[in-house]
C-alpha cells in the first residue's frame, strides 16, 4: 500500500529540516544555499518549494524547532534536573549537529536580519517547570522568583556556551558550567536543596 | 606644516575602522562590503589596502578593538564599580555604534569563519581588576575565586545582552541586569559588600 500523502509530506519536511541543519552547521547562514540543502536532502525543487520558499525560511524553521532536536532525559525534576539539563545540552552541542545548528542560528540570526526569541523563550519555559518542581520540593529560597530566575539562567547559559565555543570549540563547556553553578546555587538553594544537588565531580573536556 | 606621515596613517586607520564599524552595524558581516566601507570612510583603494586587505581583516580589527570603542568611567573600583560597568556598557550598546558593531561581530563571528576570544578575554581582565579591588575592600566571600568569577560573569553578561537583544533590541537589558545581579550578589558578596553595593532602583527601558 502506498504511503498516505500527508505522512509522506511530514517525512519529507523532516528530511529537509535535517539537511538544512547540517548545511547551516557546516557553512553558516551566508555560506549555505538552498541548492546545497536540496542536494543533501535528495528532494526535487518542487518538493522543496512545497515546504520552504527560501533559505531564510529554512533557517527560521531550524532555529525555532530547537526543542525537537534534543530529547532530554525525562526523569529528575527540580534543582538536580535543572543542573543535569545544562550538562546534557552541553554534550548535545558537540554531538548533535541539528541542535548545534539551531543554537548557532539563534545566536547569529542578526546575519539574516532576524530577531526571534522563540528558542530562548522555550528554554525559559523548560527551566521554569524545573524551578516550580524545585519550589515544591523545598529546594528554593523564598526570595527566588521562578520566572525571573529562569530568564537569568537562559541568558547566563547562552553566553557561557558562546564564550566556551570561541575559547575552545565547546571543549571547556562542562568546566564553565560547574563554575557557573558554583556562583548561582548559594543564592537560590535552601540548605536542604544544596545538600541534595550534585555537580559532576570530574568534568571531562569535550571533543571540540 | 604638513602633518607627519605616520600621524596621518594612524588617523586614516581610525577613520577606516569607524566607517567599518558603522557599516557592519547597519548591514551585518555578509551584507557589508569593502566598497561600502571605502565610500563611508572617504578613502582611496590605495589608502584602504595599505591598512586592510579584506573585509574579513576589517571585521577582525573591529572585533578585537572593542575596548577602544568604550571609555568606561574611571572612578569606582570593587563591587560597585563592577556593577556600574555592566549598566554603563548596557547603555553603550544602544548609543555607541562602534561598540555595538564590535559586540555583534564578536557574537556572530562564526559567520566569517572566525573563532577569536580576544574581546571576551579582555573583559575578563577588566572584571578581574574590579574583583581584586573588591577582595581588598573585604567585599568578597572567601570561597570566591576572582578569575573564575570574572569568566562566569563575562559569559553571563554576554548571553544576557544577546537574549535582551532578540527579545527587545536591548531595551530591557537594564532590567535583565538587575535580575542577574540579584542572583549573583548573595553568592559572592560579604554582608559588608552587600551593604555597600547598590543596584539602580529604577531602570528605564532603553531606546531599542
Amino acid at each position: 500500500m502506498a504511503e498516505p500523502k500527508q505522512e509522506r509530506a511530514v517525512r519529507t519536511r523532516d528530511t529537509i529540516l535535517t539537511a538544512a541543519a547540517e548545511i547551516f552547521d557546516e557553512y553558516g547562514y551566508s555560506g549555505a544555499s538552498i541548492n546545497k540543502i536540496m542536494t543533501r536532502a535528495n528532494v526535487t525543487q518542487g518538493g522543496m518549494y512545497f515546504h520552504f520558499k527560501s533559505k531564510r525560511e529554512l533557517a527560521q524553521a531550524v532555529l525555532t524547532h530547537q526543542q525537537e532536536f534534543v530529547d532530554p532525559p525525562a526523569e529528575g525534576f527540580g534543582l538536580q534536573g535543572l543542573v543535569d539539563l545544562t550538562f546534557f545540552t552541553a554534550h548535545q552541542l558537540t554531538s548533535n549537529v541539528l541542535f548545534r545548528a539551531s543554537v548557532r542560528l539563534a545566536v547569529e540570526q542578526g546575519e539574516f536580519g532576524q530577531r526571534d526569541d522563540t528558542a530562548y523563550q522555550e528554554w525559559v519555559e523548560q527551566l521554569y517547570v524545573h524551578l516550580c518542581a524545585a519550589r515544591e520540593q523545598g529546594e528554593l529560597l523564598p526570595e527566588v522568583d521562578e520566572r525571573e530566575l529562569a530568564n537569568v539562567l537562559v541568558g547566563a547559559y547562552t553566553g557561557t556556551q558562546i564564550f566556551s565555543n570561541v575559547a575552545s570549540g565547546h571543549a571547556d563547556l562542562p568546566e564553565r558550567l560547574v563554575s557557573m553553578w558554583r556562583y548561582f546555587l548559594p543564592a537560590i538553594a535552601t540548605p536542604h536543596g544544596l545538600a541534595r544537588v550534585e555537580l559532576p565531580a570530574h568534568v571531562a573536556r569535550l571533543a571540540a
Side-chain angles (χ1 to χ4, degrees), chain A:
Chain A
M1 211 167 74
E3 191 180 19
K5 232 176 172 174
Q6 212 185 339
E7 273 176 37
R8 198 172 57 217
V10 169
R11 205 162 45 85
T12 304
R13 194 174 184 283
D14 284 352
T15 306
I16 294 173
L17 264 188
T18 302
E22 287 174 4
I23 297 291
F24 287 128
D25 180 61
E26 283 167 47
Y27 299 93
Y29 180 76
S30 48
S33 71
I34 207 158
N35 270 331
K36 277 183 189 145
I37 296 167
M38 269 167 45
T39 307
R40 181 70 57 96
N42 199 19
V43 294
T44 61
Q45 199 153 19
M48 173 62 88
Y49 284 95
F50 178 74
H51 293 284
F52 299 101
K53 305 283 177 283
S54 66
K55 179 168 84 162
R56 182 166 168 171
E57 215 177 280
L58 276 160
Q60 175 67 30
V62 171
L63 194 169
T64 54
H65 284 72
Q66 196 168 111
Q67 299 279 327
E68 287 174 27
F69 298 148
V70 278
D71 193 14
E75 75 277 9
F77 268 87
L79 224 40
Q80 186 67 55
L82 186 64
V83 167
D84 290 348
L85 183 61
T86 60
F87 289 94
F88 173 80
T89 50
H91 282 87
Q92 292 288 301
L93 277 170
T94 58
S95 63
N96 177 338
V97 60
L98 304 186
F99 180 57
R100 183 169 60 242
S102 181
V103 168
R104 176 176 177 172
L105 290 173
V107 168
E108 298 181 355
Q109 58 181 289
E111 264 306 314
F112 50 104
Q114 193 69 262
R115 219 177 77 191
D116 183 331
D117 64 352
T118 309
Y120 297 82
Q121 296 297 354
E122 285 178 353
W123 283 110
V124 168
E125 287 311 314
Q126 278 223 31
L127 268 50
Y128 177 70
V129 170
H130 279 285
L131 288 168
C132 290
R135 169 72 69 204
E136 287 200 6
Q137 294 166 23
E139 298 174 337
L140 290 188
L141 291 170
E143 58 268 35
V144 170
D145 177 305
E146 291 89 320
R147 187 156 292 278
E148 182 185 39
L149 179 56
N151 271 277
V152 168
L153 288 172
V154 167
Y157 184 94
T158 297
T160 301
Q161 77 80 7
I162 290 171
F163 192 179
S164 167
N165 189 28
V166 291
S168 72
H170 286 134
D172 68 7
L173 184 50
E175 296 157 53
R176 287 183 185 271
L177 286 175
V178 169
S179 295
M180 183 188 95
W181 282 116
R182 261 191 14 96
Y183 296 100
F184 270 123
L185 285 175
I188 67 178
T190 57
H192 165 73
L194 276 181
R196 280 163 61 117
V197 72
E198 269 183 55
L199 295 177
H202 304 285
V203 286
R205 282 179 76 88
L206 299 173

